[in-house]
Amino acid sequence: MGISRGLDVSVYQGPQDWAAHKADGVSFAFAKASEGRHTRDAHFKQHITAIKAAGLVPGAYHYGWPNQNVDDEAANYTAAVKPYAGPGFVHWLDLERRSDGTNYAGRTHAQIAAWAKRWIELVAAAHPGQRVGIYTSGDDISHGHAPADAPLWYPRYPWTSGATYAKAEAAARPQPSGRDPLFWQFTSKPIDRSICYLTAAALRAWAGGAATEEDDVPIRTSLGKDTAQTLAWDAWTAISWDTEYADPEGAHAAGDNPGYVSPLSTWADFNGRLVLEGIPAGAHFQVRYEVHEWKNGASVGSWHEIIADVLATPGQQIVSVPFSKGLDKDRHVYVAVCPITPDGSSGLPAPTAVDGRWAIRQDK
């Protein structure tokens, strides 16, 4: 079963470092658009514009009040998202009882279920060919509020602390009232984070309207980097991995750490974020990555590209550089930080990757 990572935001969150989120493996993000008949989220435009610019699978949600007019609420949401929605955009009804119960007051379970079904139908009609699903609790599901044919995004927080994507990916898939949610929101700290039970590629295809059978999705191995590496100036340093986030079929033996990133089979994508510390003002440098092709234990060719070109300014002691590329079998990845000031590396301290994290995901 494939898995992808995502998060959701609302007015309670400020601008996000989407490059950093992508470096953490995030491939989808949803933003609150509206609530009730008239309310719009003040940060929606900011959030959804940035989500789309980052190349993530985008989506939006509406917080429902089932004791208000459903046509008005669907119209409020549709008007809010109209400038941004299109092929590949995912729509969600956020159906959950407020702590004081005011949004459910005076409604039976059957009436709430009918309201939710109608909202989904109206939004689907307003956005032909686009996915419309429901975010709702286990209690709502047990009372029949969630239509059986609607994609389900389910919130459940099993951990009081230490909730990570890796932990959620390794956990059993929740089954509220016997249903299999497509998305699981597993924590709200420090931000709402979810996983989807499709790979990033399969999720993008699904969001675009393509039928996706989960059984056809490749099982993925996920290797990562949790400790920092010190990088020398103008020298290639192998990207190594020290953490195995997911290995569902035992593709790696315990302790199998070759010291570099390379796919086990035919192809992989990798992403990461170098955080360089101690860059002096005025230093002009490039961050590059190099791919070596190996045969019989030796390099038989290489090529490299520039990831970033940076001119350090006063006060700029830390520089964050995200990157994401693809990699074929029998190829290894290296990174280098290369000074290009007139005096070369003279007088420049070696940078440190203080948060040098990267991950590789690959087919079994």
Side-chain angles (χ1 to χ4, degrees), residues 66 104-117 145:
Y104 280 20
R107 292 294 184 265
T108 66
H109 294 311
Q111 288 173 326
I112 294 172
W115 189 98
K117 183 175 183 294
H145 297 169

Side-chain angles (χ1 to χ4, degrees), residues 230-323:
T230 298
L231 308 178
W233 280 115
D234 209 8
W236 294 109
T237 301
I239 294 182
S240 62
W241 56 271
D242 55 28
T243 302
E244 197 169 85
Y245 296 115
D247 187 14
E249 293 202 338
H252 284 85
D256 179 16
N257 187 344
Y260 49 73
V261 169
S262 182
L264 295 176
S265 52
T266 55
W267 186 87
D269 54 71
F270 66 91
N271 57 76
R273 178 168 62 106
L274 297 178
V275 181
L276 308 175
E277 186 179 53
I279 306 299
H284 188 190
F285 64 95
Q286 291 178 341
V287 180
R288 306 170 182 170
Y289 85 100
E290 182 174 59
V291 173
H292 279 244
E293 186 169 356
W294 287 74
K295 289 185 179 179
N296 300 321
S299 175
V300 294
S302 65
W303 55 275
H304 72 266
E305 289 185 8
I306 296 170
I307 302 172
D309 195 331
V310 180
L311 177 62
T313 60
Q316 184 180 20
Q317 295 298 310
I318 296 179
V319 179
S320 179
V321 181
F323 60 93

Side-chain angles (χ1 to χ4, degrees), residues 321-360:
V321 181
F323 60 93
S324 180
K325 299 290 179 181
L327 190 65
D328 292 326
K329 185 180 180 182
D330 297 325
R331 288 183 174 175
H332 306 163
V333 182
Y334 298 77
V335 293
V337 183
C338 306
I340 53 178
T341 48
D343 61 350
S345 60
S346 175
L348 296 179
T352 301
V354 296
D355 188 18
R357 298 169 187 265
W358 33 77
I360 182 169

Side-chain angles (χ1 to χ4, degrees), residues 33-156:
S34 57
E35 179 174 340
R37 292 182 297 168
H38 306 296
T39 302
R40 305 278 178 86
D41 189 285
H43 288 180
F44 176 63
K45 179 180 179 180
Q46 168 187 283
H47 286 319
I48 199 63
T49 301
I51 288 168
K52 295 184 70 174
L56 304 176
V57 173
Y61 67 92
H62 170 87
Y63 188 91
W65 283 67
N67 54 6
Q68 295 183 1
N69 184 278
V70 67
D71 293 60
D72 290 346
E73 291 207 29
N76 182 30
Y77 171 80
T78 295
V81 302
K82 185 177 180 180
Y84 313 100
F89 196 97
V90 185
H91 307 271
W92 295 99
L93 169 62
D94 181 354
L95 185 70
E96 51 185 322
R97 181 184 181 276
R98 285 171 55 92
S99 58
D100 60 6
T102 52
N103 64 326
Y104 280 20
R107 292 294 184 265
T108 66
H109 294 311
Q111 288 173 326
I112 294 172
W115 189 98
K117 183 175 183 294
R118 177 62 176 165
W119 189 96
I120 291 171
E121 290 173 345
L122 289 168
V123 172
H127 303 280
Q130 298 173 39
R131 302 286 186 176
V132 186
I134 187 167
Y135 169 100
T136 197
S137 70
D139 187 61
D140 282 279
I141 295 168
S142 68
H143 286 117
H145 297 169
D149 57 349
L152 177 61
W153 178 15
Y154 172 60
R156 183 176 69 86

Side-chain angles (χ1 to χ4, degrees), residues 163-248:
T164 64
Y165 285 117
K167 184 178 285 189
E169 289 162 351
R173 185 175 185 170
Q175 289 191 308
S177 298
R179 290 187 59 172
D180 289 327
L182 184 58
F183 294 80
W184 172 30
Q185 185 186 86
F186 62 90
T187 187
S188 61
K189 299 177 181 179
I191 196 171
D192 289 346
R193 287 179 287 168
S194 299
I195 58 174
C196 172
Y197 292 97
L198 295 171
T199 64
L203 170 60
R204 191 172 294 276
W206 175 84
T212 301
E213 293 294 334
E214 291 180 27
D215 290 342
D216 294 335
V217 177
I219 293 175
R220 307 284 268 185
T221 298
S222 179
L223 311 177
K225 179 76 176 172
D226 278 338
T227 56
Q229 284 182 262
T230 298
L231 308 178
W233 280 115
D234 209 8
W236 294 109
T237 301
I239 294 182
S240 62
W241 56 271
D242 55 28
T243 302
E244 197 169 85
Y245 296 115
D247 187 14

